[in-house]
Amino acid sequence: MKRVLFLLCILSWIKVYSQSNAPKYSNEFLAIGVDARSFGMGNAFTAVSNDASSGYWNPAGLNKIQNDFDLGFMHAEYFAGIANYDYLGFATRIDSLSTFGITAIRFGIDDIPDTRFLYDANGALNYDNIKFFSAVDYAFLFTYARILPYFGGIEIGGNVKIIHRSAGQFAKAWGYGIDLGAQKSIGNLNIGLMLRDITGTYNAWYHNTELVADIYTQTGNEIPENSIEITLPRAILGVSYYYSFKSIVGVLVAFDLENTFDGPRNTIIKAEFASMDPRFGLELDYRQKFYVRGGVSQFQKIQNFDRSYNTVFQPNFGLGIKLQMKKENTFKIDYALTDLGNQAETPYSHVVSLKLSFDVE
């Protein structure tokens, strides 16, 4: 059975790479990340994830939830509040060895004006004819994770994800994909591996050309056609180490290396076959109740006007607090400020997330 699965993965990769017209960037909203804690640590989270957000970062991390149920919510705004990014995660333990989770992600721009009928039949401007639509991306991840005691306690997990994208009534797409992840703890050292879009994630686009054919013809634009968009696989390797000073002050250090296989990207490590994007994260805690975080990611080389190059990066900062409720139930509030000091090309954003872990008697 293992050989069959391995062969299917290899054949899927070959099929994906054989698509010469496959877009280099697809479903990029799924590369943003979730959870303010991870943002504060520069998204170096593959080996760290241990709650409901693991459905996104590394499905194997769901095995580490301590309570019967784990909930997570995040809201962030991008481009001065034009775009809204929301995440909702849920995880529950099935038994002592397995866990199930659901993740929902929405990235959308709402209230986009549709000015096709701005002029009425006699050529006069009529603002009452303006209608509004949304351009929205959705992703739903269904996760199963399990501990393998006969293989040294290695933890594994997988996602089946469904993607829906829409631009009002003009265009819609449905897609599907699979992620696989693993984690291994050796004392205070954690090692994580995330294989995202392992078989390639396919989006089938449908364009309602009847709504835009006249306008596109008048303006000389090409009428869009139905198509298939492919998100190529990527592999993320992460390590983290936690050290506690007399159970009072703790230090968590994390490092991720994301590998993409669609040719050279604008990263500091790149080749014709693959590009590598490093991430670094640090978290300090006091009695595991108060947290201060920092992280660095998105290293890129930017060309100046004089044709020289300089390396930019995105520094992040975060804070967190954990409140103890009844028995082992906990409530966490995390905040992150991305691109601290405006060092990267992307504008800074405020990210807030809430987490609740509880048992049912």
Side-chain angles (χ1 to χ4, degrees), residues 79-286:
F79 312 115
I82 296 176
N84 291 292
Y85 184 51
D86 296 288
Y87 146 80
L88 179 64
F90 166 79
T92 181
R93 185 163 293 284
I94 300 174
D95 52 40
S96 60
L97 296 178
S98 55
T99 314
F100 173 75
I102 300 176
T103 302
I105 298 172
R106 181 189 187 273
F107 186 88
I109 300 176
D110 301 304
D111 297 325
I112 303 173
D114 178 2
T115 60
R116 291 176 300 154
F117 308 107
L118 180 60
Y119 293 90
D120 57 24
N122 51 11
L125 281 171
N126 188 345
Y127 292 100
D128 293 333
N129 289 340
I130 298 179
K131 297 182 180 181
F132 298 87
F133 67 96
S134 298
V136 186
D137 298 331
Y138 294 97
F140 302 94
L141 285 67
F142 302 89
T143 306
Y144 176 77
R146 187 171 182 83
I147 302 173
L148 302 178
Y150 298 107
F151 292 88
I154 189 171
E155 300 166 337
I156 62 171
N159 291 330
V160 174
K161 57 187 176 185
I162 300 174
I163 298 168
H164 178 58
R165 309 180 68 182
S166 68
Q169 299 299 316
F170 305 105
K172 297 183 183 298
W174 285 96
Y176 62 92
I178 295 175
D179 304 326
L180 296 177
Q183 284 186 348
K184 173 64 178 176
S185 298
I186 307 173
N188 291 336
L189 176 68
N190 281 345
I191 303 172
L193 175 65
M194 177 63 168
L195 303 177
R196 197 181 298 277
D197 304 305
I198 183 79
T199 60
T201 295
Y202 296 79
N203 283 0
W205 279 96
Y206 166 76
H207 296 271
N208 193 349
T209 56
E210 294 181 358
L211 298 178
V212 297
D214 292 340
I215 299 296
Y216 276 39
T217 301
Q218 295 173 16
T219 55
N221 288 290
E222 183 179 351
I223 298 177
E225 298 180 355
N226 298 341
S227 60
I228 294 179
E229 186 179 83
I230 305 172
T231 304
L232 299 180
R234 63 182 66 189
I236 309 166
L237 178 64
V239 294
S240 67
Y241 185 83
Y242 181 79
Y243 184 79
S244 178
F245 298 91
K246 298 182 179 180
S247 300
I248 298 176
V249 177
V251 179
L252 175 64
V253 181
F255 170 76
D256 271 18
L257 185 63
E258 182 175 34
N259 303 273
T260 53
F261 305 99
D262 50 10
R265 293 191 175 206
N266 189 17
T267 60
I268 59 175
I269 306 172
K270 56 187 173 182
E272 289 299 324
F273 173 70
S275 299
M276 300 180 184
D277 186 15
R279 306 169 186 162
F280 303 90
L282 175 68
E283 179 181 74
L284 304 177
D285 72 80
Y286 176 74

Side-chain angles (χ1 to χ4, degrees), residues 44-72:
F45 220 63
T46 303
V48 178
S49 62
N50 58 0
D51 53 26
S53 68
S54 299
Y56 174 88
W57 289 111
N58 188 341
L62 284 189
N63 293 299
K64 290 186 170 64
I65 67 171
Q66 300 295 318
N67 299 86
D68 295 336
F69 298 96
D70 201 88
L71 295 171

Side-chain angles (χ1 to χ4, degrees), residues 19-39:
Q19 301 286 336
S20 59
N21 59 345
K24 191 182 183 75
Y25 301 101
S26 171
N27 287 333
E28 284 298 296
F29 78 102
L30 287 178
I32 298 174
V34 302
D35 186 59
R37 182 191 178 196
S38 62
F39 278 107

